[in-house]
Amino acid sequence: MSTQSAHDLKMLNAEMACPVQVEDVDLFAPGSQEHWYEAYSLLHEQAPVLKIPGGGKLPGTDAYVITKYADISRIIRDPETFPPSDLRQASDEAAEIFRETGYGTPADARQSLRPDLESHKQHRLQLTDPWVGPVGAEQHADMIQSQVDTLLDGWDSRTEAELVREFAQPLPQRVITTILGLPLEDMPRLKAFEEAQVRRFVYFINHRDELPPAEEVENAQALVEFQQYLKEQADEKRRNPGNDMLSFLTQVEYEGRKLTDGEIVSVAFGMHIGGNETTQFALTSEWLLLAQTPAIWAELKRDRSKVRFFVEEALRVYAPTQGSSSRLAARDVEFQDVTIPAGSLLHVRYGAGNRDEDTFPHAESIDLARPNPGRHLTFSQGPRNCPGAGLSRLEQNIAVNAWLDRFESIGLADGKNTFKHLPGRMFGLLELNITFEPAAS
């Protein structure tokens, strides 16, 4: 992150012992991400529904961590029984900053554009799918390939690099910046905005994604600056439209009307956050997996049709977003013989569901022949799954194929990796020092 408080540094430097019993498990404690997978095994065996007393959204309510695949799938496919819970502005003061000096909170924008399932569906079909959905993303294949080549050109005269800084981070940023139609020269500024967007998911103080009060206000101010930047860019697109998503949003007729400035800003805001970190973390994990398993690298070299299966398995084993406190129980429900009262907050732990042995035998392993490899939870499921999943998958497939084209072998730099992860509920290495042997030309 570009600016770090004492709280941030404490989160970054925290260490935590590996849990040996359920009582040791705290998935949200600083340093816990280094032992999440051991914790998931304990939870699956002994506490697949873990209660957090007093952890609900409202006073007097509890939260529950859900870790089994079938339970998570049931929740995210049924938004009527388990409606979304917006936790993205955790203080009245922060919300006031958005409304008085910006273009509203994320919750405001959702209420305006997609307050129910049908409007959510139309929002996807008409506004985002044409650009980043399963079909719309394909139009960007040549652009993505060009960005990959730009980043990798010159590596044929090298044998070592730091993958996060030199490839995994800039690739998705360049791609989403181009799709939105924002100036590439603004990327340093956009990177700072991106860090503000994910700050509460990285440096939170609890499972509700809350920041310390002073940082909540500071972050709201940074995000309002981003909203104002997007409004300025939208104004420029109205004057000089191009073939990009922001120009499209300024011109499209949606439900018989033009989008308001706040709605345009909210859609672009959402696309920007969704198009960066998760793909960065996925690319980093994919290189790590390939470096650690030369047999898979060799198999992909022999048969490129298996690349897409590798990408899905990597997304499952190392989900970039491990969990989300995004659902409420609208009525009393039961999971794993545990009754969850109406009004409870549910933290669905995608990363744990992806490693559920009852659904994925030998779940910790990459299996290129695993049936239905795309049924993992990484991009969620159901009507509110990730709108940019198609774009992320495309970037990853193009990147992995480019590595296979350009390198004879890949590895990890000896003695240069700590394998330490970012804090929070996302799963991304802070850095990855790699080695490679360029393929013979």
Side-chain angles (χ1 to χ4, degrees):
M1 313 292 280
S2 57
T3 60
Q4 291 171 338
S5 67
H7 167 67
D8 298 344
L9 293 173
K10 181 179 178 180
M11 291 279 284
L12 273 171
N13 297 323
E15 294 188 11
M16 183 176 177
C18 181
V20 296
Q21 54 189 359
V22 169
E23 290 73 19
D24 300 331
V25 173
D26 183 348
L27 300 178
F28 312 100
S32 62
Q33 65 276 358
E34 307 303 344
H35 305 293
W36 274 340
Y37 296 125
E38 294 90 346
Y40 296 163
S41 294
L42 286 170
L43 293 176
H44 284 156
E45 293 171 7
Q46 302 176 42
V49 177
L50 183 68
K51 182 177 179 178
I52 305 177
K57 184 176 181 180
L58 298 175
T61 60
D62 302 319
Y64 294 82
V65 179
I66 312 296
T67 58
K68 295 290 284 183
Y69 178 94
D71 296 339
I72 296 170
S73 184
R74 172 185 162 191
I75 291 168
I76 59 183
R77 289 180 177 276
D78 183 1
E80 293 186 359
T81 306
F82 307 101
S85 169
D86 188 81
L87 298 171
R88 294 189 181 183
Q89 89 282 341
S91 74
D92 292 340
E93 189 175 358
E96 186 177 354
I97 290 170
F98 278 112
R99 290 169 184 150
E100 289 194 353
T101 61
Y103 291 88
T105 71
D108 294 334
R110 187 174 70 196
Q111 192 60 33
S112 169
L113 272 177
R114 43 196 174 100
D116 52 45
L117 279 179
E118 181 54 34
S119 59
H120 181 89
K121 179 181 177 181
Q122 292 306 314
H123 176 277
R124 291 277 294 267
L125 288 173
Q126 297 183 48
L127 300 182
T128 61
D129 276 1
W131 294 90
V132 299
V135 176
E138 290 294 333
Q139 68 185 296
H140 308 302
D142 290 345
M143 180 270 289
I144 294 170
Q145 184 67 62
S146 175
Q147 299 292 355
V148 168
D149 291 340
T150 296
L151 291 170
L152 292 179
D153 282 350
W155 287 34
D156 54 354
S157 61
R158 305 169 57 186
T159 58
E160 199 168 311
E162 198 285 290
L163 185 79
V164 174
R165 185 183 69 255
E166 296 190 60
F167 186 85
Q169 184 183 94
L171 176 62
Q173 186 185 11
R174 293 174 73 93
V175 168
I176 199 62
T177 299
T178 301
I179 290 172
L180 285 169
L182 304 175
L184 287 176
E185 57 266 29
D186 285 355
M187 283 203 305
R189 188 180 182 192
L190 289 168
K191 179 61 181 171
F193 289 144
E194 172 201 336
E195 291 174 350
Q197 286 184 288
V198 300
R199 187 182 187 89
R200 68 174 58 259
F201 307 136
V202 177
Y203 295 117
F204 55 60
I205 55 176
N206 56 37
H207 62 281
R208 293 189 297 268
D209 298 336
E210 293 172 350
L211 291 168
E215 294 180 26
E216 194 76 60
V217 170
E218 178 188 346
N219 204 57
Q221 292 167 339
L223 293 176
V224 162
E225 184 182 345
F226 184 36
Q227 290 181 333
Q228 293 167 344
Y229 168 88
L230 290 172
K231 167 61 165 60
E232 293 169 1
Q233 292 296 317
D235 288 342
E236 176 59 27
K237 297 299 181 182
R238 289 189 178 98
R239 293 188 291 267
N240 298 293
N243 183 26
D244 54 71
M245 189 174 182
L246 196 53
S247 293
F248 165 79
L249 292 173
T250 65
Q251 300 169 43
V252 67
E253 289 281 338
Y254 180 70
E255 297 184 340
R257 64 177 178 83
K258 295 285 189 180
L259 296 177
T260 67
D261 287 339
E263 289 169 342
I264 293 169
V265 165
S266 75
V267 176
F269 188 100
M271 288 299 98
H272 190 258
I273 187 175
N276 275 291
E277 242 82 358
T278 52
T279 303
Q280 170 191 325
F281 299 156
L283 290 168
T284 307
S285 294
E286 284 155 5
W287 187 287
L288 177 65
L289 284 165
L290 290 171
Q292 292 174 327
T293 51
I296 294 180
W297 173 263
E299 188 172 357
L300 297 181
K301 275 277 199 180
R302 287 193 302 269
D303 185 354
R304 295 298 185 89
S305 70
K306 295 182 178 180
V307 168
R308 66 185 183 93
F309 298 98
F310 168 74
V311 166
E312 297 301 333
E313 277 286 87
L315 284 166
R316 179 186 64 79
V317 172
Y318 289 127
T321 299
Q322 289 281 302
S324 174
S325 297
S326 59
R327 299 294 174 117
L328 293 171
R331 57 177 173 81
D332 291 358
V333 292
E334 185 174 295
F335 291 99
Q336 306 292 330
D337 298 323
V338 176
T339 298
I340 297 176
S344 299
L345 178 66
L346 304 180
H347 178 86
V348 287
R349 199 69 184 185
Y350 303 126
N354 282 347
R355 289 191 172 220
D356 184 349
E357 289 285 335
D358 290 339
T359 304
F360 304 105
H362 309 291
E364 78 287 351
S365 301
I366 299 292
D367 181 356
L368 299 182
R370 194 181 296 277
N372 302 316
R375 64 174 175 153
H376 55 74
L377 298 162
T378 297
F379 292 121
S380 191
Q381 294 175 349
R384 295 184 183 274
N385 68 331
C386 175
L391 179 64
S392 183
R393 284 183 162 109
L394 182 62
E395 289 182 66
Q396 292 170 61
N397 275 272
I398 290 174
V400 172
N401 272 297
W403 298 342
L404 293 164
D405 287 340
R406 287 176 176 255
F407 307 126
E408 191 61 37
S409 63
I410 65 173
L412 301 173
D414 290 339
K416 293 187 177 181
N417 288 299
T418 64
F419 302 108
K420 191 172 178 63
H421 295 85
L422 203 68
R425 61 175 172 84
M426 305 177 85
F427 197 70
L429 287 168
L430 290 168
E431 63 175 6
L432 187 66
N433 292 285
I434 60 172
T435 60
F436 45 88
E437 177 188 354
S441 55

